[in-house]
Amino acid sequence: MTDHSRAGAARHALLVSACVLVGMALIGTVLGPVWWLLAPDRAVGTALGDGRVFTGTAGEVFAGEAYFALITGAAGMATGYAAYMVQFSLARYRIQDLRMVFLVAGTLGAMAATVLTWQVGTLIDAPLHAAAAAAERGESVTVGLDLRATSFLVVWPFLFVLQYGLLDGISALRSDQPGVLPPAPDPEPPQAVEHPRSPRAADPTDTSATPEHGQTGTEDSAP
């Protein structure tokens, strides 16, 4: 591969990485309002002062976090499948292996997207969070949407990598990895060409092919 082709491949990989990161971030931004809409009614708790609220075992709090895990989990499976299919098509078109490019960029994008989903969803409930922060101790307040179990932030990246790796494993078993050229077959050894035997040249010393001495092709005439 020439230096010019290497530079072109590197520029293409960087462009693809940027597109994947931006696309994943946009998906995360859109899923923030989706989480806010699908989450059940907000929990009601008791203000403890300094912005803290005691909700006890209110089911609304756990349900909101469960919806976050379900939404980001579905997004991880969907984006993992879509990313592999897109890179498969691009790699076949350009004959360039883009699997690692999409894997790294997609994983980083999934991490950014899940944080954006969390922040955008809680930002919509900013008035409820402000009211809870300003409430006096012992006052009953409505708790805005939030994510206390921050371990759910790894659901999207984990399922993205899992789905992407599963598809790549299937492709490896089928030996059709995109952008990976199959090894060139070994050249077959030249086969010996049998030439037809040429008629044997007449040997002047060989008398087998000549008439016997004293014989002619015509009968001798009488004297």
Side-chain angles (χ1 to χ4, degrees), residues 1-10 95-96:
M1 182 181 293
T2 63
D3 294 338
H4 180 72
S5 59
R6 289 195 187 95
I95 314 300
Q96 181 181 358

Side-chain angles (χ1 to χ4, degrees), residues 2 30 66 82 87 92 113 121 130 143 170 172 195 210:
T2 63
V30 171
Q87 71 86 25
R92 292 183 63 182
V143 180
I170 295 174
H195 297 282
T210 59

Side-chain angles (χ1 to χ4, degrees), residues 51 53 121-135 142-147:
V53 179
T122 56
L123 183 61
I124 300 176
D125 267 353
L128 295 178
H129 292 294
T142 301
V143 180
L145 189 63
D146 200 359
L147 184 67

Side-chain angles (χ1 to χ4, degrees), residues 51-208:
R52 296 176 299 164
V53 179
F54 176 75
T55 58
T57 58
E60 293 84 357
V61 176
F62 299 101
E65 296 181 344
Y67 270 92
F68 180 87
L70 290 175
I71 292 171
T72 55
M77 298 292 289
T79 53
Y81 178 85
Y84 194 85
M85 291 297 103
V86 170
Q87 71 86 25
F88 195 98
S89 300
L90 289 177
R92 292 183 63 182
Y93 176 72
R94 293 183 58 93
I95 314 300
Q96 181 181 358
D97 190 356
L98 297 172
R99 290 175 297 169
M100 188 58 64
V101 173
F102 269 80
L103 178 60
V104 175
T107 303
L108 295 177
M111 295 169 63
T114 190
V115 172
L116 286 171
T117 302
W118 171 33
Q119 294 300 316
V120 172
T122 56
L123 183 61
I124 300 176
D125 267 353
L128 295 178
H129 292 294
E136 298 293 335
R137 183 181 180 88
E139 185 178 349
S140 179
V141 294
T142 301
V143 180
L145 189 63
D146 200 359
L147 184 67
R148 300 181 182 180
T150 54
S151 58
F152 287 149
L153 294 175
V154 303
V155 172
W156 190 336
F158 174 75
L159 290 179
F160 174 88
V161 174
L162 182 64
Q163 175 75 337
Y164 194 94
L166 177 62
L167 293 175
D168 191 54
I170 295 174
S171 181
L173 290 176
R174 295 167 51 183
S175 299
D176 63 347
Q177 288 99 332
V180 180
L181 295 176
D186 296 334
E188 296 182 357
Q191 298 180 355
V193 180
E194 295 183 0
H195 297 282
R197 292 185 177 181
S198 58
R200 187 176 56 180
D203 189 355
T205 61
D206 186 4
T207 59
S208 60

